[in-house]
Every structure is written in structure tokens, then in C-alpha cells.
Amino acid sequence: MKVFIGADHQGFQLKAKLVDYLRSSGHEVIDEGDTVLKQDDDFPQFAGRVAQALLADSSQDARGILICGSGQGMCMAANRFKGIRASLAWDVDEAHTVRNDDDSNILCLPASILKSERAMVIIQTWLSTPFAGALRYKRRIKEMDELQ
């Protein structure tokens, strides 16, 4: 699976470990930055890069991962793009639910509370959980896409 990933300075160290994990798991990883640790960087630029890259990609199963301190900033920024369903997950249950029910295509992680091992389990759950495709879930996604 193709995975676009990005992080600000608060998620930089975790991102490096997750890139290695994803590649060793056989995923094609496209690192949308940052490539060097910059304490004064801003999360919206990385959320925008990942969201735009994901929207432009023709792969049906491509996904994105964004990491910042709380995960919330990345989630809010990514969700400004129509067609993006960014979801914050801090445990396996959340990761499963946002894929199963909401067809989440970007996973946002809070670096402030996650160690890399736990983040890897969350990512594996999120990547391996299929969208259930229930009519009510599809209807809700369509309704979200129609919001102005």
C-alpha cells in the first residue's frame, strides 16, 4: 500500500521510526516532510502536502499519516480538503472504528502520548481494517462531501 506521511517538529522523531516500520512492512512510503528537524515549523504545511498528494494519487488504496503533538491540529488542517477524511486515533479501537465506519483515509497521531511501538500497532490496525461499506456509512460520507 502507498502511504504518504508528514510530521511537524513534535512528530518528527516518531515519524522517522514509523517510516522505517512501514517500509519494512512492505509499504511504499512517500515522506512529505519535514526532512530535517525545525523547531519553528508549522503543522498546516505538512497536512496540506499529505492531503494534496493523497488526493492527486490514482491508487485506490493509498492512505496518509500525519503526526503532531496532539494530532488535533493535523486533523483539523487535513479535513479542510474535500475528499479527505482525517481521523485522530490514540488506540486500536479508535483506529478500527474510523476505518470500519468512516472510511478514514488519513490517520492523525498524537506524538505527545504515543510511543513508537503503540503507534505501530495502531497503524497496523488502521491499515488492515477494511471499510464496512454499510449503506448508512456511505450515506454519511456523501453528506460530508456535500457540506460547504
Side-chain angles (χ1 to χ4, degrees):
M1 180 179 298
K2 187 182 291 187
V3 179
F4 298 94
I5 192 167
D8 69 358
H9 60 281
Q10 292 186 63
F12 186 82
Q13 300 296 336
L14 180 57
K15 179 182 69 109
K17 292 176 183 175
L18 296 178
V19 165
D20 290 342
Y21 164 73
L22 288 163
R23 286 186 175 143
S24 70
S25 298
H27 299 286
E28 178 185 355
V29 180
I30 295 88
D31 189 341
E32 294 290 344
D34 209 347
T35 55
V36 295
L37 179 60
K38 296 178 188 166
Q39 291 297 329
D40 62 345
D41 64 10
D42 296 319
F43 66 83
Q45 63 184 305
F46 306 111
R49 287 180 196 168
V50 168
Q52 289 173 331
L54 183 60
L55 291 170
D57 191 83
S58 61
S59 308
Q60 285 204 322
D61 66 346
R63 306 255 184 91
I65 297 173
L66 292 167
I67 311 153
C68 67
S70 69
Q72 287 287 19
M74 288 288 199
C75 196
M76 289 188 288
N79 277 320
R80 295 196 177 236
F81 293 83
K82 187 174 184 171
I84 294 298
R85 293 174 305 282
S87 302
L88 177 66
W90 55 91
D91 65 26
V92 171
D93 292 335
E94 283 297 315
H96 179 270
T97 299
V98 300
R99 278 291 310 142
N100 185 77
D101 297 8
D102 305 315
D103 198 19
S104 168
N105 53 10
I106 293 183
L107 176 66
C108 300
L109 298 171
S112 64
I113 63 169
L114 289 181
K115 296 198 184 300
S116 60
E117 296 80 18
R118 186 170 168 202
M120 290 173 197
V121 173
I122 291 168
I123 288 170
Q124 179 55 40
T125 299
W126 184 75
L127 290 174
S128 65
T129 301
F131 174 50
L135 290 177
R136 70 181 183 278
Y137 298 154
K138 290 179 179 180
R139 181 183 69 243
R140 292 170 186 161
I141 290 169
K142 184 177 183 279
E143 289 173 6
M144 283 190 292
D145 287 342
E146 292 170 356
L147 292 173
Q148 294 290 332

